[in-house]
């Protein structure tokens, strides 16, 4: 089996430049018409993890979304734009805030398209996914190219987790917290809700402690398109300096014959992959677990663990992490009125700290992913430190 993906250089979010590059990325793989019927209804799904400005490189840039929307409109499609962010939790105000800050509200108004909420769901396979997958004839996914604490890479396959309805996402995280189990869930969702077309925004990527604000924006300067999300992720993994099968979703999806992970069987159109590979991406601290030989993983995983740690000086007590924690182990610890009065209030103006009950923490790092203040650090067990992880 072979797959085709396109790889196009684009270093800036200048609207004209982005439009030309997105069009080129689609044309190289046969154009929109090869995947979508003219005049059909299309759900456009960017990665809108949280309510942050586009410069943070945490969410798909609005100019990339605009270019896709315009091309679909030129093709007489009816376009619906939406995502189910992890901080949403079914609250309309949260979603409004995400659409506002990420620039989607503005794009929807200027391009005269419908902004939708993923609040209604229908079971597809094993999961309650947004009804918009049924309401629309096609889906175009526009992920952001980012590192991820649990999965190492979030791009084409992982972006589809946003289809999972509201708080059920948290439930899945709690049930399948192990990265191997969680990657199988992501692959199942890909099987049930494969988009017709995917275009990855890798103009500004995110490296280090992604996928939230703790990550570091990095100019990768690429757009990557295709219909095989496994092949797209494989190409991106090579750009990061890794092998495709280092990413569990890629490995499991390829084993299930859902796509191509062998670079020799991926026809890359546009710029040559070798010309795009620069310095390796900085990986999340937790990815050091990859150094443990496979046969030892099960045996030592409880001793060589990574945990979140709250930096109380950076924490703004927004309580977002409390709402997203799948294991419900984050809470508030109020100071006694006496000790609060004694504190230096200029330095510490809050009457409580955020506390984690480590006993039941499942190390999913949803708290770090959703924290708007970069206040969640990675903490290692003593053995993990001694093992040099
Ligand atoms: S404290 Fe953080 S890492 Fe631990 S279970 Fe909750 S969200 Fe996951
Ligand atoms: S750790 Fe982050 S998400 Fe949690 S309360 Fe503090 S600032 Fe908010």
């Amino acid at each position: 089996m072979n797959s085709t993906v396109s790889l196009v250089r684009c270093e800036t979010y200048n609207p004209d430049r982005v439009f030309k590059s997105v069009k080129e990325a689609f044309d190289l793989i046969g154009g929109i018409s090869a995947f979508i019927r003219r005049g059909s209804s299309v759900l456009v799904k960017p990665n809108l993890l949280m309510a942050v400005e586009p410069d943070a490189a945490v969410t798909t840039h609005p100019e990339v979304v605009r270019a896709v929307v315009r091309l679909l409109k030129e093709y007489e499609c009816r376009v619906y734009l939406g995502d189910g962010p992890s901080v949403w939790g079914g609250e309309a105000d949260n979603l409004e805030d995400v659409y506002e800050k990420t620039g989607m509200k503005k794009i929807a108004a200027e391009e005269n398209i419908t902004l939708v909420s993923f609040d209604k769901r229908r079971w597809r396979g094993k999961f309650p996914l947004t009804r918009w997958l049924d309401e629309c004839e096609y889906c175009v996914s526009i992920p952001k190219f980012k590192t991820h604490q649990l999965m190492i890479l979030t791009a084409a396959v992982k972006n589809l987790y946003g289809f999972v309805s509201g708080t059920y996402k948290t439930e899945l995280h709690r049930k399948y917290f192990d990265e191997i189990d969680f990657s199988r869930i992501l692959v199942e969702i890909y099987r049930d809700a494969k988009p017709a077309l995917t275009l990855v925004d890798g103009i500004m990527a995110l490296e280090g402690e992604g996928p939230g604000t703790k990550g570091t924006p990095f100019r990768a300067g690429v757009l990557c398109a295709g219909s095989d999300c496994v092949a797209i992720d494989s190409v991106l993994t090579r750009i990061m300096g890794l092998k495709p099968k280092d990413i569990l979703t890629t490995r499991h999806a390829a084993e299930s014959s859902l796509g191509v992970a062998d670079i020799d069987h991926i026809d890359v159109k546009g710029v040559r992959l070798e010309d795009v590979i620069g310095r390796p991406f900085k990986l999340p601290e937790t990815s050091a677990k990859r150094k443990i030989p496979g046969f030892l993983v099960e045996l030592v995983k409880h001793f060589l663990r990574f945990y979140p740690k709250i930096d109380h000086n950076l924490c703004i007590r927004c309580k977002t992490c409390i709402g997203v924690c799948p294991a419900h182990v984050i809470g508030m610890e109020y100071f006694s009125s006496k000790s609060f009065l004694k504190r230096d209030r200029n330095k510490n103006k809050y009457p409580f700290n955020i506390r984690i009950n480590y006993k039941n923490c499942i190390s999913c790092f949803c708290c770090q992913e959703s924290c708007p203040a970069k206040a969640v650090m990675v903490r290692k067990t003593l053995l993990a430190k001694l093992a040099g992880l």
Side-chain angles (χ1 to χ4, degrees), residues 308 321 324-330 356 360-368:
C321 53
V324 301
C325 174
H328 307 296
V329 296
I330 310 182
I356 298 173
N360 295 319
C361 169
I362 56 175
S363 299
C364 63
F365 285 92
C366 291
C367 47
Q368 188 187 64

Side-chain angles (χ1 to χ4, degrees), residues 310-311 314-322 330 352 354 367 370-376:
I310 309 288
D311 182 329
L314 293 177
C315 173
I316 54 171
R317 275 63 166 183
C318 68
K319 304 180 202 166
T320 302
C321 53
I322 297 176
I330 310 182
F352 64 90
I354 297 293
C367 47
S370 61
C371 175
K374 306 185 184 187
V376 183

